[in-house]
């Protein structure tokens, strides 16, 4: 194995933590009745839970990855200056070393980079082809008057799959699109590493080369979102024969060299806050430069604190360390493979962002109009204190006629931020999810009682359609007694 899985006597490969814990945060696991009260208070929406009531927070990896001792130490030597901070010079050097790009524009987080790129390059009625959209990406392209066109492969949305690169862009669809609408309408092609919304599924270097070939033929630039590039690189090293013996840095350069513009959310890629855009062409740099002082802050901080800037430089270099980028994918694989082995419906193969439970397979008796993924999120919290994120019909807003739009995929995402959880905590997740699956008949649906018109999943409030939550608590107590 080219990574830190260890072989146990049983023959099983188990992920081994290549770090030790030196700063800890205390957790509480409330009794089951209090967890029920807590989710009732949150309107059966895990976004509205108070973190103090949560045992394992698996909502997201955004801003929740663990920082290293070196990152914390670097914050102590941050150079506070409005202009020309030495901290920024150090970050710029890290950008060049890690991504092989010469020019850098700092921004306050990933969506700010998307704002600048789409305002500068996207015109009314433009179309941006991409392997998969991300929520903020789509919103910013549409704000600029453009449209998103997703060209994922047929395999991307399959729950059960053994395809190694579900994040690939379908080249035939790309050629068809260009033939149909013409290259003039396409300001750039966007590739997202570790496609977030389909579970951190990677694309291959070969796919990126194929995209480049088409892009070059028509003179269309490529924008690469590297927010989740670390985990994508881990999968390339593991699954793409040509790169088996290449270093993380070599794979990073292979991918970034094929893109004209790269950008990132450092909430993900470097375990800090902030973001940035990096390019090699001075023309691209100039085209975007003046947006930074206008919307973000002066060119040597871009809305970030100098402490974050220092920690970001260190965090980006740590992204080149295989032990760092392999942690989440290995823990996810451990959890996904074990659940899959017990027949629990999960998305396979395991991706780099989290374990995704297939709520349609889990709760076939709950209609999509009663939000199975949302019900599953509430049920899991009640029986375990684990907080996941609904990625199904609740996450879709209603259509113009006010009808629900059943989501193609109805998922409960259990995110695994880097180096945050231990293996016994993951075994706890496995155990409670399995118990829930065995008792899935008890779980019923949800209905809205307070429903915002846009992005309703953030703050909408729901209630159970029957008294199933009480039955679930009763069965839990029958099986576990007063044990947590
Ligand atoms: C999170 C994310 C973004 C947006 O970044 P923010 O820092 O949350 O604004 C963009 N792209 C991808 C792939 C992401 O995961």
């Amino acid at each position: 194995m080219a990574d830190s899985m260890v072989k146990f006597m049983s023959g099983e490969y188990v992920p081994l933590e290549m770090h030790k814990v030196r700063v800890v945060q205390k957790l509480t696991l409330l009794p089951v009745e209090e967890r029920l009260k807590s989710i009732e208070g949150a309107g059966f929406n895990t976004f509205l839970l108070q973190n103090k009531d949560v045992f394992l927070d698996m909502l997201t990896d955004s801003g929740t990855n663990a920082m290293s001792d070196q990152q914390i130490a670097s914050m102590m030597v941050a150079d506070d200056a409005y202009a020309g901070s030495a901290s920024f010079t150090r970050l710029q050097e890290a950008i060049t070393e890690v991504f092989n790009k010469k020019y850098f524009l700092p921004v306050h987080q990933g969506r700010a980079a998307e704002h600048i790129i789409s305002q500068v390059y996207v015109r009314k009625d433009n179309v941006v082809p991409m392997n998969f959209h991300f929520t903020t990406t789509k919103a910013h392209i549409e704000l600029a008057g453009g449209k998103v066109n997703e060209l994922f492969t047929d395999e991307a949305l399959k729950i059960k799959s053994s395809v190694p690169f579900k994040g690939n862009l379908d080249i035939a669809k790309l050629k068809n699109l260009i033939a149909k609408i013409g290259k003039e309408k396409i300001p750039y092609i966007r590739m997202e590493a570790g496609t977030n919304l389909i579970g951190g599924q990677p694309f291959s270097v070969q796919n990126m080369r194929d995209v480049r070939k088409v892009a070059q033929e028509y003179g269309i630039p490529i924008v690469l979102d590297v927010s989740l590039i670390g985990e994508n690189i881990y999968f390339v090293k593991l699954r793409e024969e040509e790169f088996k013996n290449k270093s993380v840095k070599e794979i990073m350069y292979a991918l970034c060299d094929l893109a004209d513009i790269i950008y990132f959310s450092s909430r993900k890629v470097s375990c800090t806050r902030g973001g940035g855009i990096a390019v090699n062409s001075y023309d691209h740099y100039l085209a975007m430069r003046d947006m930074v002082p206008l919307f973000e802050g002066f060119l040597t901080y871009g809305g970030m604190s100098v402490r974050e800037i220092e920690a970001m430089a260190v965090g980006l270099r740590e992204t080149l360390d295989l032990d760092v980028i392999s942690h989440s994918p290995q823990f996810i694989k451990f959890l996904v493979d074990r659940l899959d082995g017990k027949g629990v419906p999960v998305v396979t193969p395991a991706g780099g962002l989290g374990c995704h439970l297939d709520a349609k397979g889990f709760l076939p008796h709950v209609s999509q109009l009663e939000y199975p993924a949302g019900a599953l999120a509430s049920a899991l919290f009640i029986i375990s204190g684990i907080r996941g994120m609904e990625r199904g019909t609740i996450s879709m807003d209603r259509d113009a006629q006010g009808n629900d739009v059943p989501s193609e995929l109805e998922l409960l995402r259990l995110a695994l931020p880097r180096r945050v959880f231990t293996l016994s905590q993951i075994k706890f997740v496995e155990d409670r999810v399995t118990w829930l699956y065995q008792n899935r008949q008890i779980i019923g649906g949800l209905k809205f009682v307070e429903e915002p018109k846009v992005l309703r999943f953030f703050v909408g409030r729901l209630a159970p359609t029957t008294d199933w939550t009480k039955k679930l608590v009763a069965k839990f107590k029958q099986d576990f007694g007063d044990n947590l």
Side-chain angles (χ1 to χ4, degrees):
M1 294 295 262
D3 52 58
S4 52
M5 290 273 215
V6 310
K7 191 173 178 181
F8 276 20
M9 285 168 66
S10 63
E12 188 186 14
Y13 281 90
V14 174
L16 188 64
E17 294 86 344
M18 297 304 287
H19 52 265
K20 63 179 176 179
V21 179
R22 293 175 63 212
V23 177
V24 296
Q25 180 179 0
K26 193 172 156 38
L27 292 172
T28 45
L29 182 49
L30 298 175
V32 65
E33 294 90 347
E34 287 182 42
R35 296 197 292 259
L36 174 60
K37 268 190 217 143
S38 175
I39 194 77
E40 283 170 352
F44 292 85
N45 180 347
T46 55
F47 275 98
L48 298 180
L49 285 166
Q50 297 300 313
N51 207 29
K52 68 176 174 48
D53 297 343
V54 172
F55 177 50
L56 300 180
D57 187 7
M58 305 182 85
L59 188 75
T60 175
D61 63 325
S62 181
T64 56
N65 289 330
M67 288 179 107
S68 70
D69 52 354
Q70 301 297 317
Q71 285 187 284
I72 305 277
S74 73
M75 290 176 142
M76 299 296 123
V77 294
D79 178 28
D80 248 317
Y82 189 90
S85 159
S87 297
F88 182 73
T89 309
R90 285 192 276 272
L91 174 57
Q92 208 159 21
E93 285 163 6
I95 294 282
T96 303
E97 184 189 320
V98 174
F99 298 120
N100 205 23
K101 297 282 181 227
K102 235 187 331 215
Y103 303 107
F104 177 61
L105 295 166
V107 298
H108 79 275
Q109 66 184 86
R111 68 199 68 182
E114 292 171 336
H115 173 233
I116 291 177
I117 293 167
S118 40
Q119 287 299 319
V120 169
Y121 294 101
V122 178
R123 298 280 162 271
K124 195 170 166 349
D125 298 327
N126 277 183
V127 174
V128 182
M130 57 184 69
N131 55 343
F132 215 84
H133 84 283
F134 185 68
T135 49
T136 53
T137 321
K138 183 159 180 262
H140 275 296
I141 288 169
E142 287 173 358
L143 190 70
K147 281 198 196 66
V148 161
N149 198 317
E150 292 175 303
L151 305 175
F152 49 82
T153 61
D154 295 340
E155 200 68 29
L157 301 184
K158 285 211 183 112
I159 301 284
K160 287 264 168 287
S161 169
S162 54
V163 166
F165 295 105
K166 277 166 119 180
N168 277 358
L169 184 142
D170 189 318
I171 302 296
K173 287 184 190 165
L174 177 63
K175 287 180 179 163
N176 282 345
L177 179 77
I178 299 172
K180 200 169 117 204
I181 66 170
K183 63 175 184 179
E184 296 75 20
K185 282 212 156 168
I186 302 177
Y188 57 84
I189 298 166
R190 173 178 175 274
M191 289 294 280
E192 181 178 311
T195 48
N196 189 323
L197 296 187
I198 55 169
Q201 296 288 340
F203 59 71
S204 64
V205 177
Q206 188 53 49
N207 186 245
M208 184 76 183
R209 285 180 184 145
D210 294 342
V211 172
R212 178 84 215 172
K213 207 165 145 222
V214 177
Q216 213 146 17
E217 190 182 329
Y218 293 96
I220 304 170
I222 296 180
V223 172
L224 174 61
D225 180 340
V226 294
S227 304
L228 302 173
I229 190 98
E231 286 73 13
N232 199 123
I233 289 173
Y234 170 75
F235 289 122
V236 165
K237 192 167 165 61
L238 215 64
R239 299 175 184 171
E240 203 167 351
E241 189 56 34
E242 180 187 340
F243 295 93
K244 219 158 82 186
N245 298 316
K246 295 276 191 269
S247 69
V248 175
K249 192 171 177 175
E250 285 170 318
I251 303 171
M252 179 76 89
Y253 281 23
L255 287 169
C256 291
D257 288 354
L258 293 166
D260 301 279
I261 298 173
I262 66 159
Y263 76 91
F264 57 89
S265 162
S266 50
R267 296 179 67 84
K268 328 278 170 62
V269 74
S270 68
C271 318
T272 54
R273 316 290 172 272
I277 305 170
V279 295
N280 269 333
S281 137
Y282 192 61
D283 289 343
H284 280 310
Y285 173 76
L286 273 188
M288 292 183 281
R289 186 189 62 186
D290 297 345
M291 298 284 279
V292 175
L294 191 58
F295 289 100
E296 302 299 311
F298 188 66
L299 283 170
T300 55
Y301 72 90
M304 291 185 277
S305 90
V306 282
R307 284 175 196 79
E308 295 288 340
I309 287 175
E310 287 284 359
M312 201 166 141
V314 176
L316 287 174
R317 288 201 173 97
E318 288 178 353
T319 297
L320 297 180
D321 179 344
L322 192 61
D323 285 338
V324 173
I325 59 174
S326 63
H327 177 269
S328 287
Q330 290 180 356
F331 269 53
I332 294 165
K333 182 172 163 48
F334 181 85
L335 180 58
V336 165
D337 287 355
R338 286 188 163 216
L339 288 173
D340 192 36
K342 290 175 173 172
V344 178
V346 284
V347 174
T348 62
L353 191 58
C355 166
H356 292 64
L357 303 179
D358 169 30
K360 278 191 210 171
F362 210 108
L363 305 173
H365 56 284
V366 177
S367 143
Q368 270 197 286
L369 302 181
E370 291 192 0
Y371 315 127
L376 190 55
S378 291
L380 183 62
F381 178 76
I382 293 168
I383 64 117
S384 67
I386 297 164
R387 162 155 71 174
M389 186 190 286
E390 192 269 4
R391 292 277 86 157
T393 304
I394 295 177
S395 295
M396 311 276 291
D397 288 329
R398 287 180 191 266
D399 65 16
Q401 287 72 44
N403 297 315
D404 256 319
V405 182
S407 174
E408 189 146 9
L409 291 180
E410 191 73 40
L411 304 176
L412 173 60
R413 171 174 103 180
L414 304 174
L416 260 117
R418 269 186 209 161
R419 300 193 290 185
V420 170
F421 299 126
T422 63
L423 204 59
S424 57
Q425 288 171 330
I426 296 309
K427 286 182 181 170
F428 174 79
V429 178
E430 176 200 345
D431 186 76
R432 292 311 195 249
V433 169
T434 306
W435 183 88
L436 200 57
Y437 187 62
Q438 286 166 3
N439 291 279
R440 61 191 179 279
Q441 285 304 334
I442 304 174
I443 304 171
L446 296 175
K447 59 179 183 236
F448 269 100
V449 291
E450 201 184 298
E451 186 177 345
K453 284 214 163 53
V454 286
L455 298 178
R456 61 182 184 172
F457 67 90
F458 274 131
V459 294
R461 303 181 71 85
L462 302 101
T465 50
T466 63
D467 64 348
W468 65 264
T469 56
K470 302 206 170 46
K471 287 187 179 142
L472 188 66
V473 169
K475 182 67 177 12
F476 181 85
K477 293 206 63 135
Q478 186 187 322
D479 286 5
F480 292 101
D482 284 332
N483 193 285
L484 301 165

